[in-house]
Amino acid sequence: MGVVTQRSPLSRRTFLHAVGTASGAALASGLLGSCGSRPTASGAQVVNLLWSDVTNSRTPLIEDFTNATGIKVNQTIVQYNQRLNKISTAVQGGGDFDVVQMDTVWTARFAAAGWVQDLTSRITDAIRQDVPPVVLGVVTYNGKLYGMPLFNSAKHLFYNAKLLQEAGFDHPPATLDEFVVQAQGTTRQGQWGSLWSWKQSEALLCDWLSLMFTQPGAQFLDSHGMAVFNTLGGTEALQRMVDLLYQHKVADPASLESTEDDVRRMLQTGTYALTYNWEGVLPEANDPRQSKAAPHIRVALLPGGSGVKSASVNGAEGWVILAQSRRHEAAWKLLEYMASPAWQKKAALIAGDYPILASLYSDPELQKHVQDFAIYGEQFKYLVTRPQLPDYARKSDIIQRHLHAALLRKVSPKEAMHAAASEVNRATATP
Amino acid sequence: MPLPTFGARFGEAFLWRGQAPRATRMHSGEISERTLGVAMLAPMVLVLLLVVAYPLADALWLSLHRVNLAHPEQGQPFVGLGNYLHAFRQPAFWYALHRTLYFTLLSVALESALGLLFAVLLNERFRGNLGARVAMIFPWALLTVSNGVLWAWILNPTYGVANALLVGLGVLQAPKAWLSDTFWTMHVVVLADAWKMVPTMTLLLLAGLQPIAPDLYEAAEVDGATRWQKFSRITLPLLRPVMLVAVVLRTIGAFRVFDLIYVLTGNGGPADSTKVLAFYAYDQAFHYLFFGYGAAISWLITACMLVLIVIYLHWLRTEGER
């Protein structure tokens, strides 16, 4: 039997009606609001920038640019891993960016797809004179320049001077043969002569290339764009990696699951003598509050081979102007300012960026401020730029897989390299 | 008088719904209950269409076209089932399917077994039962990415606690690089997944255990049944419907595993030994920008899950008819 209830002054229907109307109005106003939310700056010029200054340490540089030019910069800051997705979405209509930060391995992809503007005619002789060609190579595809390098980056040798001294070595290895000897001398119970970032990732490919190009005549692609690394240095480099693990037993097996970040952290335990890594290792590694290895970590050139003083991989990044940008001039002014000594020197001082300008490596203030600054400048002279291929990501993945299979002793280095080259050459542009 | 059961109440509701709707006298200007209901639901339906139906339909459209964002000059030609046929010709696709099935089978089996064990234990009265139930929920509440980072630290060969413990106990002579081994990596991923998901299984099964009447066990005891006989003849049969639902849910979750593997291995390594289908689809779409092919792989994953769900539903129906 039903229960008779007296209706309250605010009936359920009236209440629902009111809530429905309010919700609908809120939804509609939200949608309309978002449609018209484009930032405007009351006549001031604006540039929308997507980059990865995740520590916000470069904000003063952006402020300097705005003070110098009157152009406001709207920054969108994302982690490196999110940046490619963000750019891909933006060029499909999902974002209004003018300038984006681009990794060197994306240059060919962005240029071939027509996502970025050709800036060849804008890069002046004054800029070209102080930015070495290998640094400009970061933003070069088919002879055209598509952006401006943002900072210099390469792999360097970071070593524990105390462990080397205890083993009787008073200098870091200059050649790979010397590297093996010193790694053998420093490998003992609870301590490894070397640690590498050989996880199946781009880091593995970078180390392999650094070893491969210590050989005169090493080559990745031939003049027709076909992979020839298997016969021109790649197999020997991979054999050396396998030997470090299993014949000499001087590479920690943990290398196979380590990234550069892992290597940086593990070097701080004070139990590793020799490591390859990008710059930025020293401040933390020599801070006694964070590192057991402090203050013994030093930097040196990566070891070379016969007739090759050193070889490292170019890890620099650049800024490009998206083809869809409607604010070309303001965007170019931002790139131009970024390449100026004012930005480059201050970026080195406040954010630890390594300048793209060769002249700054002899700057007394920078040499005083950054430990072993000149060594970094020297290493940047011996750089290999990874092949500029539109489908580099896919081909790199193929090589990484085969390298890892050999490092796990599933196949021989020779078999792995032949299979990798064959698969790279068969990989078509689109499935 | 027997207490109303869920079925009885459901039946009453069903009957009530079957009755002719009571006539409602409407005043002029008032909208009907039905119109109001539709109006209230419309925004939600609209949102669902936008965020679920549209992406699904768009992904289907993409899967039937050749779409390579890195080569816009190629256009987006219609290729019919070309992307699907291409997948079937790729050894990498079959390998990823094999890895996915292996992970799914192993993780669901392990989680079901441990979930059942913990559910039976927690169903007993003992001191600290409530604390144990609360502790059970912690891993479940953890983000999958955090879980991955946690296990990466635990397993680190240099400073990880797992190696320190095993070497300290004399199980290992030297620290082991677990994630550098094609055999161990997959099993470590299964372990990390089980650590997080066993609580889900336990809670679902515990909910299924609690309505089982104690009288049944008492009667069995009177008949002289052993603990195993009570478990196998009473608990398991009565728990089976709940268990099937739990297994279906976990199978769907395990089949599309991605984030845990991404955090632990980075690239589906070592040597692609953990490259499951979701990772393969991610690589194709977001790494290589083959959006058409990536969409086709995503639909194939959905199709595989649908097949598994239909099989489970068939079992469930068979159980219901027994």
Side-chain angles (χ1 to χ4, degrees), chain A residues 123 224 296 411 429:
Chain A
I123 310 279
H224 305 291
H296 305 295
V411 291

Side-chain angles (χ1 to χ4, degrees), chain A residues 50-56 76-87 101 103 106 261 317, chain B residues 262:
Chain A
L50 172 73
W51 66 326
S52 294
D53 181 27
V54 288
T55 56
N56 289 311
T76 301
I77 295 170
V78 294
Q79 295 278 356
Y80 173 87
N81 289 339
Q82 300 165 344
R83 208 177 340 128
L84 183 58
N85 283 348
K86 197 90 176 166
I87 295 169
Q101 186 176 336
D103 191 342
W106 303 340
D261 270 351
E317 299 204 18
Chain B
Y262 184 82

Side-chain angles (χ1 to χ4, degrees), chain A residues 12-13 85 92 109 113 115 199-200 253-254 256-257 265-266 272 393-394 397 400-401 404 408 410 429-431, chain B residues 30 33 66 68-70 72 74 86 157-159 177-180 182 265 267 269-272 287-290:
Chain A
R12 186 172 70 102
R13 183 179 300 178
N85 283 348
Q92 304 304 316
R109 174 189 285 195
W115 291 359
K199 186 172 187 164
Q200 188 184 339
L256 294 173
E257 61 178 76
R265 277 195 295 267
M266 287 152 82
Y272 294 96
R394 190 175 173 205
D397 276 0
Q400 288 166 33
R401 175 160 38 86
H404 223 222
L408 292 165
K410 303 279 180 199
T430 305
Chain B
E30 263 190 52
E33 191 95 21
R66 181 183 292 140
N68 182 349
L69 294 189
Q74 293 178 350
H86 179 75
T158 306
Y159 46 75
W178 301 96
L179 298 174
S180 305
T182 47
T265 73
N267 204 8
D272 278 1
H287 204 185
Y288 312 150
L289 302 180
F290 301 155

Side-chain angles (χ1 to χ4, degrees), chain A residues 246-259:
Chain A
Y246 303 108
Q247 187 190 330
H248 308 307
K249 294 185 171 51
V250 294
D252 186 348
S255 302
L256 294 173
E257 61 178 76
S258 300
T259 62

Side-chain angles (χ1 to χ4, degrees), chain A residues 280-301:
Chain A
V281 168
L282 291 185
E284 228 176 74
N286 282 330
D287 179 354
R289 289 168 302 177
Q290 302 182 63
S291 166
K292 289 180 185 170
H296 305 295
I297 304 302
R298 302 294 306 270
V299 62
L301 290 189

